[in-house]
Amino acid sequence: MTEADIADDLFLTLILPQLTNKERSNCRRVSKRWRRLVSNPCFHQFANVPNDFKTINEALNYVDDYATIIVDAGEFACGRFLRINKIVCIVGKSTKNEEEIPTTIKSRIEFSGLFCAISNIVVSPQQSKTSSAIKILSKNALIDSCLVECKQCVEVIESSHVQLRRNNFISSQTAIQIFKCEKFVFSHNQTKGSSIGICSSCNSNFIEDSSFLNCEFGIRCSNGNIQIKNNHFIQNTYPIEITNGNGNITNNFLEISQIGINLMMCRNISVIGNEIEYFKDFGIELEKSNIIKIENNIISLGRGIGIGVKESYFIDIKENELLELHYSGIVIFDKRNKNLNIVKNKIIGCEQAGIVFHEHCENSLISENQIENFGLTKIKYPSQKQRK
């Protein structure tokens, strides 16, 4: 794929979903996709750095909206930061051999235009304790096929329709931080070695088909709607932690963690079809949460409790497989849990009781569970006076 083809793909990804029907009528369709905005001559404008302009800043000042800036291989400094405030794509040139230095920007990047995109670029600014490598303050921003190395890689603030896809993020602190945003899409990325892979406080987050390696927190979300789907979490202490949130957690693979999925004060979340292996404390832990579905998950080979429930209401735990756990499969901790349905779960090879629950939980049903080797255990916890 040439740099021009990459630019076409970036513009199409950013712009076409936002066009009105009248604007779409000015486009032509090739291979079932809108390929060109031929009504706009600036769409075909290209500038090269360093052949046409010595610096990326000079190229940005000269080109019109819908232009593409192609940057040759090599390292480029853009002052304190590179501000992208136009409808423009910046595309790094593909290297032909491993010895050639890829297109590398040694400055911070700030997105502040209406449609901004970068692709095939290494972003590695000088280390800063407070600043992120890329800061997004705009609508319709796209970071594609980039390598970002910094203590904090990307910061997204009060933006919408932001997409991060096919990137590698290497961070020692927070890889991605999102605040007051809508319709954020994070797909086919790899995040490695950070304290927090994604820290989010916004609505309509889509995190899918990505991997999180050696992070303390993989995804940490509060006060928002989130869709977490088809991700891999390897050696994260807390792969998924959600507080005051809602959404769906489906078809993820979590291996080697302390608590696989931790939901606190959440409402309307479905946890379906996930595989959780080799955890220390809990595969799934609920606390003070309501209207939660936990269905068709495979939780195995953990040293702790498969599913733990504390002070939660209207919880459906159905058709899960809890296999070879050091402690119990399902534990309902106290009588403050209400309206629980624990149905058709398969619990095999737990070293402690298959299901532990408090006998005074109101309106609860435990039925049709397959428990091998261990039976159903009822526990009446002692009062505070008795404990003393």
Side-chain angles (χ1 to χ4, degrees):
M1 183 180 287
T2 66
E3 287 77 18
D5 292 330
I6 293 173
D8 282 356
D9 179 67
L10 296 177
F11 275 122
L12 290 164
T13 302
L14 280 171
I15 297 170
L16 285 179
Q18 316 301 326
L19 295 179
T20 65
N21 291 332
K22 184 177 180 180
E23 289 171 325
R24 286 171 186 259
S25 66
N26 292 326
C27 303
R28 65 186 178 90
R29 194 169 184 170
V30 178
S31 301
K32 299 182 180 181
R33 296 184 66 191
W34 300 104
R35 296 302 300 165
R36 296 280 185 182
L37 298 172
V38 294
S39 60
N40 192 329
C42 296
F43 184 79
H44 303 285
Q45 180 184 9
F46 291 89
N48 182 276
V49 177
N51 294 336
D52 299 325
F53 301 93
K54 291 183 179 180
T55 67
I56 302 173
N57 301 71
E58 289 180 8
L60 276 170
N61 291 334
Y62 177 82
V63 300
D64 297 313
D65 285 340
Y66 300 101
T68 299
I69 299 172
I70 299 173
V71 185
D72 284 353
E75 294 185 350
F76 295 85
C78 306
R80 185 178 177 184
F81 60 86
L82 174 67
R83 177 173 291 169
I84 305 173
N85 55 8
K86 292 183 177 180
I87 303 175
V88 66
C89 290
I90 300 177
V91 181
K93 203 160 189 178
S94 301
T95 56
K96 296 181 180 180
N97 56 69
E98 295 181 358
E99 296 180 358
E100 191 174 9
I101 299 174
T103 302
T104 304
I105 295 178
K106 303 295 289 184
S107 305
R108 295 175 55 222
I109 299 176
E110 181 178 297
F111 288 66
S112 57
L114 180 60
F115 295 93
C116 310
I118 62 173
S119 179
N120 201 30
I121 289 173
V122 176
V123 183
S124 182
Q126 293 182 351
Q127 295 296 315
S128 173
K129 293 182 179 180
T130 59
S131 301
S132 56
I134 300 174
K135 189 174 185 178
I136 299 176
L137 299 160
S138 65
K139 295 182 179 180
N140 308 299
L142 172 62
I143 302 173
D144 173 77
S145 303
C146 293
L147 169 62
V148 185
E149 295 181 279
C150 194
K151 288 184 178 180
Q152 182 168 308
C153 294
V154 180
E155 184 179 14
V156 187
I157 301 174
E158 296 184 354
S159 303
S160 64
H161 297 90
V162 175
Q163 300 181 54
L164 277 58
R165 66 178 190 184
R166 301 183 297 214
N167 303 286
N168 286 332
F169 299 103
I170 300 174
S171 167
S172 60
Q173 293 182 356
T174 303
I176 314 296
Q177 186 164 5
I178 315 157
F179 182 70
K180 290 187 178 179
C181 299
E182 292 185 354
K183 298 183 179 179
F184 172 82
V185 178
F186 185 90
S187 66
H188 297 90
N189 300 287
Q190 178 173 299
T191 301
K192 185 176 182 180
S194 62
S195 297
I196 305 176
I198 296 180
C199 181
S200 171
S201 180
C202 58
N203 290 320
S204 300
N205 294 310
F206 294 86
I207 301 172
E208 55 194 17
D209 300 301
S210 298
S211 61
F212 297 81
L213 310 175
N214 301 315
C215 301
E216 183 179 356
F217 292 90
I219 299 171
R220 195 176 196 183
C221 177
S222 62
N223 302 311
N225 174 273
I226 191 165
Q227 311 293 323
I228 303 173
K229 182 179 180 182
N230 295 334
N231 300 286
H232 278 68
F233 299 86
I234 310 297
Q235 290 188 328
N236 296 263
T237 308
Y238 304 100
I240 300 173
E241 182 182 277
I242 302 177
T243 305
N244 284 320
N246 62 80
N248 297 288
I249 303 171
T250 56
N251 300 324
N252 300 283
F253 178 76
L254 302 83
E255 182 180 25
I256 308 176
S257 63
Q258 186 159 335
I259 300 174
I261 299 173
N262 186 11
L263 307 179
M264 181 178 291
M265 294 183 287
C266 293
R267 184 181 179 89
N268 289 318
I269 288 186
S270 297
V271 182
I272 299 174
N274 302 283
E275 294 186 32
I276 305 172
E277 297 181 352
Y278 299 107
F279 55 89
K280 184 177 180 181
D281 294 340
F282 293 92
I284 301 173
E285 182 183 24
L286 307 182
E287 186 170 354
K288 297 181 180 178
S289 297
N290 302 323
I291 315 176
I292 308 295
K293 292 184 178 180
I294 302 175
E295 300 178 0
N296 296 304
N297 301 284
I298 300 175
I299 303 173
S300 62
L301 303 171
R303 294 185 58 81
I305 296 167
I307 300 172
V309 182
K310 306 173 183 178
E311 299 183 50
S312 299
Y313 303 157
F314 299 102
I315 309 299
D316 290 334
I317 302 175
K318 296 181 179 180
E319 299 180 352
N320 301 283
E321 295 185 19
L322 301 109
L323 312 173
E324 299 182 32
L325 304 179
H326 182 72
Y327 197 70
S328 294
I330 300 171
V331 176
I332 311 302
F333 278 91
D334 54 48
K335 66 180 181 181
R336 286 172 288 186
N337 297 285
K338 299 179 182 179
N339 300 96
L340 310 177
N341 291 318
I342 304 174
V343 180
K344 295 183 179 179
N345 298 284
K346 183 186 292 185
I347 304 172
I348 299 174
C350 297
E351 294 186 17
Q352 303 293 325
I355 300 176
V356 179
F357 71 101
H358 197 285
E359 64 182 353
H360 293 299
C361 292
E362 296 180 6
N363 301 320
S364 297
L365 173 66
I366 299 177
S367 176
E368 301 181 66
N369 297 285
Q370 178 186 344
I371 303 175
E372 295 188 8
N373 301 327
F374 305 97
L376 192 64
T377 300
K378 295 183 179 181
I379 293 182
K380 183 176 181 180
Y381 287 91
S383 65
Q384 293 294 331
K385 291 182 179 180
Q386 289 175 321
R387 290 179 185 176
K388 292 179 181 179

